[in-house]
Amino acid sequence: MVRVLGIESSCDETAAAVVVDGRRIASNVVASQSSLHAATGGIVPEVASRQHVRWIVPVVREALNQAGLTPAAIDIVAATRGPGLVGSLLVGLSAAKALAWGWQRPFCPMNHIAGHVYANWLGEELPEFPLICLVVSGGHTDLVAMRGHHDFRLVGRSRDDAAGEAFDKVARLLGLGYPGGPAVERAARDWLGPVPRLPRAWLPGSRDFSFSGLKTAVSRMVQAPDAPPSAAIAMAFQESVVDVLVEKTLEAADELGARCVLLAGGVAANGRLRARMTDSCGLPLFIPAMALCTDNAAMIAAATSYARDFDDSLAADAEPGLDLTTRVN
Ligand code: KG4
Ligand code: ZN
């Protein structure tokens, strides 16, 4: 039995979790800062780092308590090393290194995006390779092909805004508040009237995405004298994003001979995306439970459980711009 303590602090959640054998969540503690950042309408990095400093020790302690374990029962300590905000990353990474050193256990630095992908290994069934995973978060919209564990090939990505970033910016344009993704989804859910038409960037011949034109179109629609209600615009925006994400992901899965399709990242919590993907996907589809889509540490521990030959020297630094992989077409 391998018990991994995972720590995640790349953005605005302070999180720690214990995962057993890469499959069973013994504890999963997330302290969200979102109410703190709601006042400024977005994350102020220095404010986020300070909050991580306050919470990291109690959150780790709570993860051990909820798992009913003492430090002696932990086999590996893992933490996110990037991508993310450097001040935020450093808090979790330094805490994890200190614990690994103090407890004399291996330390595993983990990629945050790999963590999002591996949230799909925490469900009932296990995904099979080869597979396509759509990673849609606040910082990334990546189509990732995998032929084995930790074998990531980037086969498509957003050329401008990430899908989550577009949700957040549109929420701001519509005055819906922060965090933007859930606010847009809520507004769209209540709308029963006609849905205005917004553009879709198909980028024919490419597996890439683009959301900046859509954002500009929303901004123009909001400022027009006969602007539709914000709920109608929210729904039109969400439909446009979901259409492109679903269609291009399934096309890539088909072209590349994938055996299953995975969704990952904060935007995978979007009900409309989950429903449309479920309706349209002819292959086995994996979507993490809602709480495992947004940032958490169970996904970091899960990804660590499937990693081989990691450098446990404590030399790993925070890497705010860390890539999952180089691009392959
Ligand atoms: O993966 P995540 O928690 O953090 C990053 O690694 O970025 O993703 C956060 C992003 C935010 O942009 C947020 O607005 C979006 O995920 N998000 C959603 C929903 N819940 C979170 N977007 C659309 N619908 C949602 N229900
Ligand atoms: Zn994330």
Side-chain angles (χ1 to χ4, degrees), residues 63-226:
L64 287 174
N65 281 346
Q66 284 187 13
L69 298 172
T70 62
I74 299 298
D75 300 295
I76 303 174
V77 183
T80 304
R81 74 180 301 203
L85 302 169
V86 71
S88 290
L89 287 165
L90 278 170
V91 178
L93 190 68
S94 309
K97 285 186 194 177
L99 292 174
W101 185 75
W103 298 345
Q104 299 188 324
R105 293 289 186 274
F107 165 71
C108 180
M110 187 44 64
N111 183 304
H112 179 78
I113 302 301
H116 276 303
V117 173
Y118 273 92
N120 284 291
W121 270 258
L122 290 167
E124 294 277 302
E125 307 278 327
L126 292 181
E128 282 181 29
F129 302 110
L131 60 83
I132 283 285
C133 181
L134 172 68
V135 182
V136 267
S137 69
H140 289 75
T141 301
D142 292 341
L143 264 180
V144 179
M146 291 177 78
R147 286 191 295 210
H149 284 298
H150 287 275
D151 168 18
F152 302 109
R153 288 149 192 273
L154 188 63
V155 296
R157 53 152 178 67
S158 176
R159 294 184 180 171
D160 38 60
D161 294 351
E165 191 182 355
F167 266 95
D168 294 333
K169 286 179 179 169
V170 163
R172 211 168 300 144
L173 285 170
L174 296 176
L176 295 174
Y178 174 91
V184 168
E185 182 176 3
R186 258 193 318 276
R189 199 182 294 142
D190 294 339
W191 179 247
L192 299 172
V195 181
R197 184 81 192 159
L198 283 168
R200 281 139 181 79
W202 292 109
L203 307 181
S206 161
R207 295 194 187 103
D208 285 350
F209 302 94
S210 167
F211 298 109
S212 70
L214 174 61
K215 185 190 60 196
T216 308
V218 168
S219 164
R220 259 195 237 114
M221 195 177 268
V222 170
Q223 284 160 19
D226 55 347

